[in-house]
Amino acid sequence: MPTLAVYPGSFDPLTNGHVDIITRGARLFDRIIVAVLINEEKKPLFSMAERVEIAREVFRHVPNVEVDTFDGLLVDYVEKRQAQVIVRGLRAVSDFEFEFQMALMNQRLNGRIETIFLMPAEQYTYTSSRLIKEVFRLGGRVHGLVPEMVEERLRGKITTRTSA
Ligand code: PNS
């Protein structure tokens, strides 16, 4: 039976840390679904359509990476897609507590689904979507930490916001 994994997240925006984890997942599993959370309350900087478009473009040449959206409970989505595994990235000990809670809650909700943690390459251990947005907004350099497409879009957004 092919192993299907789901890599859920907000991806606002996709970082090279995410790209690294997805690439590792694509090597380990027959298929990995990047599942973008539909979360209107969080007021994302990047729209749902943009987040999906960016991930699809970055993984255009990787046939076993699929990009989809989901809302509601993650375990329900994983079950619906007939996947067996949830992939999450662990960057540092500080990620562990929340990730551990989520993994155990998901295990309680559906014992057939396993959560697997993957570590990104060392150079991405301090990269997060939140910090990327903050650093970029304040004029800092994020080159090399996000896909080029994200950097271009960030430039467009910040210019639009400041000239508005
Ligand atoms: O990239 P993020 O924001 O850290 O991803 C968090 C995500 C999407 C994995 C988490 O918020 C989630 O699974 N949301 C779906 C709702 C759900 O199932 N909540 C219970 C999790 S134990």
Side-chain angles (χ1 to χ4, degrees), residues 7-12 18 35-37 39 42 70-76 86 88 98-99 101-106 109 129:
Y7 179 51
S10 309
F11 306 110
D12 182 39
H18 296 131
V36 185
L37 177 71
N39 191 351
K42 261 190 166 178
F70 81 104
D71 57 6
L73 275 182
L74 173 62
V75 287
D76 291 345
I86 295 170
R88 291 285 290 169
F98 177 59
E99 293 298 334
Q101 280 176 1
M102 276 208 302
L104 288 182
M105 180 60 84
N106 285 330
L109 292 169
S129 300

Side-chain angles (χ1 to χ4, degrees), residues 1-21:
M1 190 170 138
T3 45
L4 184 55
V6 170
Y7 179 51
S10 309
F11 306 110
D12 182 39
L14 186 80
T15 69
N16 282 345
H18 296 131
V19 172
D20 180 292
I21 296 290

Side-chain angles (χ1 to χ4, degrees), residues 99-157:
E99 293 298 334
F100 190 61
Q101 280 176 1
M102 276 208 302
L104 288 182
M105 180 60 84
N106 285 330
Q107 191 182 80
R108 186 193 159 94
L109 292 169
N110 188 329
R112 293 180 298 278
I113 300 167
E114 295 297 340
T115 298
I116 288 186
F117 295 106
L118 296 178
M119 272 66 71
E122 212 180 331
Q123 73 255 36
Y124 302 125
T125 47
Y126 57 87
T127 309
S128 74
S129 300
R130 188 183 61 79
L131 272 188
I132 293 288
K133 285 183 282 194
E134 184 172 321
V135 169
F136 193 88
R137 188 170 46 83
L138 298 172
R141 195 174 135 83
V142 297
H143 188 72
L145 297 177
V146 291
E148 268 177 32
M149 192 179 176
V150 169
E151 211 179 322
E152 279 161 27
R153 301 268 175 126
L154 275 170
R155 235 176 265 133
K157 282 182 192 296

Side-chain angles (χ1 to χ4, degrees), residues 41-53:
E41 297 133 51
K42 261 190 166 178
K43 288 223 165 82
L45 181 62
F46 286 79
S47 73
M48 174 56 62
E50 277 180 302
R51 284 180 280 154
V52 169
E53 187 194 345

